Amino acid sequence: INDLLDLSRIESGRLELVHEPFDFADVVTDVANLLHPVAEQKGIALRHECAPHSIPVVGDRRRSFQILLNLANNAVKFTERGTVDIVVRLDEARVVAAVRDTGIGIRPDQLPNLFEAFRQLDASARRHYEGTGLGLHLSKKLLAILGGTIVVESVQGVGSTFTFTLPVNAP
């Protein structure tokens, strides 16, 4: 419901952003700590790494957390064995965050529709993975508002890597 409300706010131009200093490395740790029990229960390794160890940013911490959580949660959800890695680095004036998994991957013909609202790649009645189909769409919209970008690389049966950037000083 919160994703739907956020999407409505974005579409109507009423999404309010906070512009404050925070450490993006803390966001990574918070997301990893939140998802660690789920990953552990599934028997997959959830690892995270930030270089440098502190990444000062001026922007909206809550929205940055929301984006990373959406991507990392999807990675854990679609990985049955192996690993999920969250790797963050600083590249000049941008944070570059990659969420890499050894999950089911995405077919090349599905990639163009990946960020559409309410789009689930497996829409069959016997679908194994639950969700609203809003997380990736909302993340892309939020990144655009925050001055960031997102790209995906995926090989079906091997895994996916979602990489997004955020400016160190939000516009």
Side-chain angles (χ1 to χ4, degrees):
I1 293 176
N2 286 334
D3 284 352
L4 192 55
L5 292 172
D6 285 341
L7 191 56
S8 175
R9 287 183 193 108
I10 289 171
E11 298 297 329
S12 68
R14 293 190 331 233
L15 182 73
E16 293 182 24
L17 298 177
V18 176
H19 200 75
E20 63 187 10
F22 67 95
D23 189 341
F24 196 85
D26 291 341
V27 170
V28 174
T29 300
D30 290 349
V31 166
N33 288 341
L34 186 64
L35 293 177
H36 183 76
V38 178
E40 191 174 73
Q41 183 178 24
K42 291 183 75 173
I44 61 175
L46 174 61
R47 306 177 299 208
H48 63 286
E49 173 187 331
C50 289
H53 294 298
S54 178
I55 302 175
V57 173
V58 177
D60 194 314
R61 185 190 195 287
R62 178 173 170 250
R63 300 304 177 182
S64 298
F65 174 86
Q66 184 176 9
I67 293 162
L68 185 59
L69 180 62
N70 277 338
L71 297 177
N73 186 52
N74 278 353
V76 169
K77 181 183 354 179
F78 293 108
T79 301
E80 295 302 323
R81 65 178 102 69
T83 60
V84 172
D85 292 308
I86 303 170
V87 180
V88 180
R89 64 183 169 81
L90 203 50
D91 183 23
E92 296 182 21
R94 300 190 83 64
V95 173
V96 179
V99 178
R100 186 176 311 119
D101 66 60
T102 57
I104 62 173
I106 304 161
R107 291 191 332 250
D109 64 304
Q110 294 174 319
L111 288 171
N113 303 322
L114 194 60
F115 293 98
E116 290 180 13
F118 303 107
R119 173 67 89 167
Q120 295 172 325
L121 298 182
D122 179 5
S124 68
R126 56 185 205 286
R127 183 174 79 213
H128 180 70
Y129 303 101
E130 293 300 318
T132 61
L134 277 179
L136 291 177
H137 179 71
L138 180 58
S139 294
K140 186 172 184 173
K141 292 272 192 187
L142 287 171
L143 281 163
I145 292 168
L146 295 171
T149 61
I150 187 167
V151 294
V152 60
E153 297 173 346
S154 189
V155 177
Q156 187 177 13
V158 176
S160 303
T161 301
F162 286 80
T163 304
F164 70 91
T165 65
L166 280 173
V168 171
N169 288 304

